[in-house]
């Protein structure tokens, strides 16, 4: 088994007996993370990410002492392992469990935060690093390294904040934080892929335009591939109806098709993260409603479980890897450079988020007529704070960029890896510890409690992709009346474009998409039989 792993390039080769012992110990540590995280669930300070990091640091320290300072790892994985096995379930589950009603009602604001905000943060971090790093004596990085740093540290980790927020009490804030987090991850990875695959050594206007075109094409093609695979899975399950004989086939097909979307994107040179995210959204809207109730419960918890294990695995491994003597040996002569670079990056991260969170929030408020829908200052501060932490995506991107080959561990790469580890550790441990008290202080209890929001993931995921409020339903009824003049529809479109687009999409979805690909209303949740025949 150890030789197989080594042959695949996912882990270092070692005797099979040692490998099995290390796997057993690592599994035991993961169990400890789950148990301790549960015991500390009500803690004012701790959360599961911090718990996993702390256990990783503690275990790494013990191994470092017992090995005589030679190693801090139980197992040592190459960067491909993170991208092939650990990131896909995390991102897919984010798309699969996304609260679609709030997500699409606030789609414009979420996209502004997650896409345009990420680009602003990327520009500020990259530009600031090019100006400040040389003052620290770090003058041996090229333009691609600086741009890669901008993409790496633009990827946020809002898990700590989401663990504190209550979706029923603060539906708008929760949707903004969650939505921005998943769109931000996808944008950061697409941006990173565009940077690593493009020659930016001689930057000029033409190259900048080609780079922008490459970025947009990656974004669009990755999205289309994810949607296509999700629709294919939905059509296959709806047409063949595996649930008649075996729910195992339904569950297996959904899991494998989800992973296939990610692998296909990597094969075609696209962004697997973006592809698997949109595949998750499409599957939750169509495929999930085509399977039996047993399969629905199984898939929902299976995807969430895989995502949970992958995330604590990454944080625990980062805790161990932060004590890797091989990396620190390169910066041993000038540790101040590594810490200085980390301080600069943390400062740029905070400035970069402030430069887009508050301006975009102000612009968003100008377009909202209801005071209840506006983003208050305390909510803006919470959104700003939620994106200061760096986690799994930043770590995986840094490892991919700076440890991607055997000869990659050079002083420059070691410096950037150690700086990344310091930023992730500090932001997760310090900012993460402060998240609960700060969010509780800022948002002790929202006056805008919307009890109509789904109270559980199961209820939420059964919601239609695009919901209406009472005003939209009334508008749709009026539009069906032949006596309503055309100017009324135009008036509604200009005064409330989001709800109007939602209404037309809903008509298209009900008339074209659902009869072909299934979805809510076409499968009986009680008997598992078809309610509406195929067209």
């Amino acid at each position: 088994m150890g030789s197989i792993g080594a042959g695949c390039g996912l882990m270092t080769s070692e005797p099979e007996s040692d490998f099995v012992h290390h796997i057993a110990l690592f599994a035991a540590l993961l169990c400890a993370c789950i148990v301790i995280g549960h015991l500390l669930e009500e803690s004012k300070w701790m959360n599961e990410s911090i718990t996993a990091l702390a256990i990783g640091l503690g275990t790494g320290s013990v191994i470092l002492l017992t090995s005589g300072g030679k190693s801090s790892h139980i197992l040592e994985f190459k960067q491909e392992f993170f991208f092939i096995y650990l990131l896909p379930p995390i991102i897919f589950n984010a798309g699969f469990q996304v609260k679609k009603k709030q997500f699409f009602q606030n789609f414009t604001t979420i996209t502004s935060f997650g896409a345009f905000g990420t680009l602003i943060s990327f520009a500020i971090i990259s530009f600031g690093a090019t100006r400040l790093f040389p003052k620290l004596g770090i003058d041996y990085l090229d333009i691609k390294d600086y741009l890669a740093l901008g993409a790496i540290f633009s990827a946020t980790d809002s898990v700590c904040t989401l663990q504190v927020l209550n979706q029923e009490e603060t539906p708008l804030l929760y949707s903004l934080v969650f939505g921005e987090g998943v769109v931000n991850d996808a944008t950061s990875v697409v941006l990173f892929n565009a940077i690593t695959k493009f020659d930016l050594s001689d930057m000029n206007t033409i190259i900048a335009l080609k780079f922008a075109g490459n970025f947009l094409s990656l974004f669009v093609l990755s999205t289309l591939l994810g949607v296509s695979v999700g629709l294919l899975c939905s059509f296959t399950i709806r047409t063949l109806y595996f649930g008649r004989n075996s729910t195992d086939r339904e569950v297996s097909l959904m899991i494998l098709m989800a992973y296939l979307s990610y692998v296909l994107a990597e094969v075609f040179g696209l962004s697997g993260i973006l592809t698997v995210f949109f595949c998750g959204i499409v599957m939750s809207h169509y495929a999930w409603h085509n399977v039996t109730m047993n399969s629905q419960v199984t898939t929902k918890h299976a995807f969430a479980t895989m995502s949970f294990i992958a995330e604590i695995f990454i944080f625990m491994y980062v805790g161990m890897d932060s004590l890797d003597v091989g990396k620190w040996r390169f910066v041993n002569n000038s540790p101040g450079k590594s810490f200085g670079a980390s301080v600069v990056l943390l400062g740029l991260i905070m400035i970069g988020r402030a430069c887009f969170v508050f301006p975009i929030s102000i612009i968003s408020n100008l377009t909202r007529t209801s005071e209840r829908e506006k983003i208050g200052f305390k909510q803006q501060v919470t959104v700003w704070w939620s994106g200061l932490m760096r986690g799994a995506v930043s770590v995986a991107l840094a490892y991919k960029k700076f440890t991607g080959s055997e000869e990659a561990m050079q002083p420059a790469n070691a410096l950037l890896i150690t700086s990344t580890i310091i930023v992730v550790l500090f932001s997760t441990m310090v900012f993460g510890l402060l998240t609960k008290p700060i969010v509780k202080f800022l948002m002790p209890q929202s006056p805008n409690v919307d009890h109509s929001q789904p109270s559980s993931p199961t209820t939420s995921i059964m919601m239609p992709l695009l919901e209406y409020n009472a005003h939209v339903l009334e508008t749709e009824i009026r539009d069906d009346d032949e006596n309503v003049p055309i100017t009324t529809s135009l008036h509604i479109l200009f005064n409330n474009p989001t709800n109007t687009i939602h209404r037309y999409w809903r008509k298209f979805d009900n008339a074209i998409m659902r009869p072909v690909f299934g979805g809510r209303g076409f499968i009986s949740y009680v008997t598992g039989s078809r309610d509406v025949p195929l067209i």
Side-chain angles (χ1 to χ4, degrees), residues 361-498:
S361 298
I362 293 173
I363 295 173
S364 176
N365 288 339
L366 294 176
T367 64
R368 297 172 184 258
T369 56
S370 173
E371 290 295 326
R372 183 179 180 180
E373 296 177 351
K374 291 186 176 181
I375 309 171
F377 179 73
K378 289 184 177 180
Q379 290 178 318
Q380 295 175 26
V381 174
T382 304
V383 173
W384 172 77
W385 179 267
S386 68
L388 295 181
M389 282 147 283
R390 296 297 177 265
V393 176
S394 293
V395 170
L397 292 179
Y399 278 48
K400 184 175 184 179
K401 170 63 178 174
F402 303 118
T403 63
S405 60
E406 295 297 328
E407 61 274 8
M409 191 50 64
Q410 301 169 355
N413 293 333
L415 171 72
L416 297 176
I417 284 290
T418 53
S419 298
T420 301
I421 290 173
I422 292 173
V423 170
V424 171
L425 284 175
F426 183 87
S427 63
T428 303
M429 300 290 285
V430 179
F431 293 161
L433 285 172
L434 295 174
T435 294
K436 283 188 180 180
I438 286 179
V439 173
K440 291 295 184 183
F441 172 76
L442 291 172
M443 311 296 300
Q445 184 177 1
S446 174
N448 302 328
V449 180
D450 185 0
H451 294 290
S452 65
Q453 297 302 314
S455 58
S456 69
T458 305
T459 307
S460 173
I461 206 168
M462 287 183 178
M463 300 292 288
L465 185 62
L466 297 172
E467 287 283 354
Y468 303 103
N469 52 32
H471 169 73
V472 180
L473 289 173
E474 292 173 3
T475 301
E476 186 171 343
I477 293 173
R478 290 199 303 270
D479 281 354
D480 290 337
D481 190 344
E482 295 179 357
N483 297 323
V484 178
I486 298 176
T487 54
T488 303
S489 297
L490 293 175
H491 178 75
I492 295 171
L493 174 62
F494 288 115
N495 282 274
N496 206 338
T498 302

Side-chain angles (χ1 to χ4, degrees), residues 174-187:
Y174 190 96
S175 68
L176 291 178
V177 173
F178 180 85
E180 189 225 343
V182 293
V183 176
N184 164 275
D185 285 347
T187 305

